Amino acid sequence: MAATAIPSSSAAPAADAPVHAEVAQLPAPPPRPAPYQPPRLAVDGAGGGAVAVVGGGKPCRHHAYSRKQKSLGLLCTNFVALYDRGDVEAIGLDDAAKRLGVERRRIYDIVNVLESVGILVRRAKNRYTWIGFGGVPAALRELKERALREVPVVGSPSLDETSAANVSDDEDDDKFDDADGDAESEKLSLSQSIDNSSDKPDAAPCKLRSDHRKEKSLGLLTQNFVKLFLTMEIETISLDEAAKRLLGEGHAENNMRTKVRRLYDIANVLSSLKLIEKTQQADSRKPAFRWLGQPKKNEGDSVTVAFAPTKMTLPSKRAFGTDLTNFDNKRGKLDSTMENRGNLTLGNRSDFVYGPFHPAGTRARKEHDNRKILEKDRKSIQDWENLASSFRPQYQNPALNDLFGHYVEAWSSWYSDLKRDAAS
DNA sequence: TCCTCCCGCCAATCA
DNA sequence: TGATTGGCGGGAGGA
């Protein structure tokens, strides 16, 4: 199989170039860049470091490290922008890492979360198949069904004794009792049904060390985190609270901290997918996350997901999607290969809040529009169709128009499926 | 100062 | 046995 099924097209960047890097220039795009030219990378032979030459601009070395440009959420946005095209099927992890300018380790984080919400599927070592956002409703539906099986009473205040308990294992590293082997199998069923190439059908139900490792996987934690939203009455939840519910009370501070770290990773990815949004808890200053899919009570089995192309509120802290590559200086050590490719930074901060899904316009007006659109979404799923046809931002950058088109296409496809499901 | 979360070490697992 | 996968926590950036 080919390394990736992304076809070369006139708008597609060269395989060895940072993808969509031009989009990262959003704040000050050329009036009409004609025709689209992918950024070129040149190697500074004397210095040994790579020097990015973007869009014909001057080479620039050593701009300041900024963790905003390296966030998992932004990486996820870029990953989706790169692969959410109708003609993409296979994804090679090496290829993705190379194209996005990050280490493989980060790609694993992304694909584990994306896989757990049905956006892609692991086919083999190093190889994933892109499903797209159309796969999300089914994955969420299955998650919800499983969660409801595990939680007899919807709205149970805690998952501690059910699925969450199955992952509250951090202090049991040396205990591999098989008392709940079946529950483990059940709990792992989704991820393993996705990735069953290596599963042995006759595997003993007892908890193996490999199972134990899987229990703590980012993918499984993602699913359990999503289940919290799918099964509980709460509108928002803080990561501390989520960690408590997933771990159970009374766990060591260390375990809790580790779990919260992972939840931050997951939340950032889910935020960039517009499945959740960062918000503020009403009764405290602590940040919390709100589910945007709202597949909860009184909605029967339906699972709705309100992501692109509708615009969501901006995260309070981060601006995802401002940079379609993550080429940048690394913190601490300098990465000789990626260093200085990061000349894709945006201008001043007030400019770069606009992600790839943001239409041109003022931030305030957009936020106002976003809120209206969000409310509109929540009123009725039927409105989405109109929204898709009417909400068509005009990007100055042709690459963005293409990108938005892909989202509209993916969304339309998913919405058609949803209507068909509802009708049947 | 505390929250957030990037980064990469290294152990587990796979081929 | 080398390659792949990913848990984990240190510690730096940011508010």
Side-chain angles (χ1 to χ4, degrees):
Chain A
M1 197 183 291
T4 173
I6 293 181
S8 60
S9 70
S10 57
D16 58 347
V19 193
H20 295 303
E22 186 196 20
V23 180
Q25 303 285 305
L26 263 184
R32 185 72 190 179
Y36 175 68
Q37 292 285 330
R40 289 164 289 136
L41 282 178
V43 174
D44 178 0
V51 177
V53 184
V54 180
K58 287 183 180 179
C60 177
R61 297 175 59 94
H62 297 296
H63 58 89
Y65 166 84
S66 166
R67 54 193 282 154
K68 286 194 178 72
Q69 295 160 21
K70 311 280 279 186
S71 81
L72 219 51
L74 180 55
L75 177 60
C76 178
T77 297
N78 296 345
F79 188 94
V80 169
L82 182 57
Y83 290 108
D84 191 28
R85 312 164 68 100
D87 45 9
V88 172
E89 285 182 5
I91 297 172
L93 295 187
D94 284 323
D95 182 70
K98 186 179 170 190
R99 283 169 173 266
L100 294 168
V102 296
E103 293 177 2
R104 287 170 66 98
R105 179 69 197 81
R106 302 281 75 76
I107 300 296
Y108 290 130
D109 289 338
I110 298 294
V111 296
N112 281 336
V113 175
L114 294 186
E115 182 180 19
S116 66
V117 294
I119 292 179
L120 44 73
V121 168
R122 188 175 193 267
R123 290 301 182 199
K125 184 181 76 175
N126 230 329
R127 192 132 302 279
Y128 284 77
T129 295
W130 183 259
I131 302 298
F133 288 99
V136 175
L140 294 185
R141 206 176 300 128
E142 183 177 344
L143 269 183
K144 186 183 181 184
E145 282 168 8
R146 277 202 292 138
L148 291 177
R149 277 203 302 274
E150 292 160 356
V151 186
V153 180
V154 179
S156 164
S158 168
L159 294 178
D160 290 352
E161 293 171 3
T162 56
S163 65
N166 295 329
V167 285
S168 60
D169 45 30
D170 298 60
E171 288 170 354
D172 307 328
D173 281 356
D174 299 325
K175 305 175 205 163
F176 293 101
D177 55 314
D178 57 0
D180 57 349
D182 290 337
E184 290 304 329
S185 307
E186 163 69 7
K187 180 197 63 182
L188 293 169
S189 63
L190 180 60
S191 59
Q192 290 183 344
S193 68
I194 287 169
D195 174 21
N196 55 11
S197 59
S198 61
D199 290 337
K200 296 164 183 61
D202 55 348
C206 67
K207 192 190 292 181
L208 303 172
R209 195 163 256 284
S210 60
D211 291 334
H212 196 67
R213 186 172 161 90
K214 283 178 187 173
E215 285 169 24
K216 298 186 177 184
S217 73
L218 205 64
L220 198 60
L221 184 57
T222 301
Q223 293 182 353
N224 282 295
F225 183 52
V226 169
K227 280 181 191 174
L228 286 178
F229 290 110
L230 298 183
T231 59
M232 292 167 36
E233 297 285 346
I234 50 161
E235 194 63 37
T236 65
I237 190 169
S238 71
L239 297 187
D240 281 350
E241 179 67 16
K244 270 183 206 159
R245 289 175 185 270
L246 293 174
L247 266 176
E249 301 281 354
H251 278 257
E253 188 77 12
N254 258 9
N255 294 325
M256 203 62 87
R257 211 165 30 226
T258 297
K259 195 67 81 179
V260 169
R261 279 195 191 107
R262 299 288 81 77
L263 287 175
Y264 274 119
D265 294 340
I266 291 166
N268 280 335
V269 173
L270 294 180
S271 290
S272 81
L273 296 174
K274 314 296 182 198
L275 286 174
I276 62 175
E277 72 170 351
K278 198 170 191 175
T279 179
Q280 203 85 28
Q281 273 184 327
D283 54 346
S284 78
R285 292 179 53 201
K286 277 208 161 189
F289 286 86
R290 187 207 327 268
W291 180 252
L292 295 176
Q294 48 178 330
K296 294 197 297 186
K297 61 204 174 200
N298 303 331
E299 294 188 11
D301 291 333
S302 66
V303 175
T304 58
V305 188
F307 41 60
T310 61
K311 269 295 298 98
M312 297 304 158
T313 53
L314 296 168
S316 60
K317 180 182 172 186
R318 288 179 173 260
F320 295 120
T322 56
D323 184 349
L324 275 174
T325 72
N326 269 358
F327 297 129
D328 198 1
N329 294 338
K330 289 189 172 183
R331 184 182 68 188
K333 296 180 188 174
L334 290 176
D335 181 335
S336 60
T337 58
M338 299 308 170
E339 179 190 16
N340 295 325
R341 292 190 193 180
N343 188 23
L344 307 170
T345 53
L346 305 169
N348 63 54
R349 185 172 174 170
S350 63
D351 284 333
F352 77 70
V353 296
Y354 309 123
F357 315 126
H358 293 233
T362 66
R363 175 180 180 173
R365 201 180 72 200
K366 279 190 298 182
E367 286 185 339
H368 179 252
D369 289 347
N370 292 344
R371 264 193 298 277
K372 282 172 62 181
I373 290 169
L374 189 59
E375 287 168 14
K376 193 176 176 182
D377 284 349
R378 288 182 171 167
K379 278 181 190 166
S380 167
I381 189 173
Q382 275 77 20
D383 291 345
W384 294 2
E385 197 167 35
N386 295 334
L387 192 65
S389 57
S390 61
F391 188 80
R392 185 85 197 182
Q394 295 301 310
Y395 295 112
Q396 297 180 48
N397 188 319
L400 279 187
N401 270 325
D402 286 350
L403 184 60
F404 186 82
H406 289 304
Y407 272 93
V408 170
E409 200 174 309
W411 179 82
S412 299
S413 161
W414 165 74
Y415 182 71
S416 299
D417 291 346
L418 191 69
K419 282 203 299 186
R420 202 180 319 117
D421 286 350
S424 63

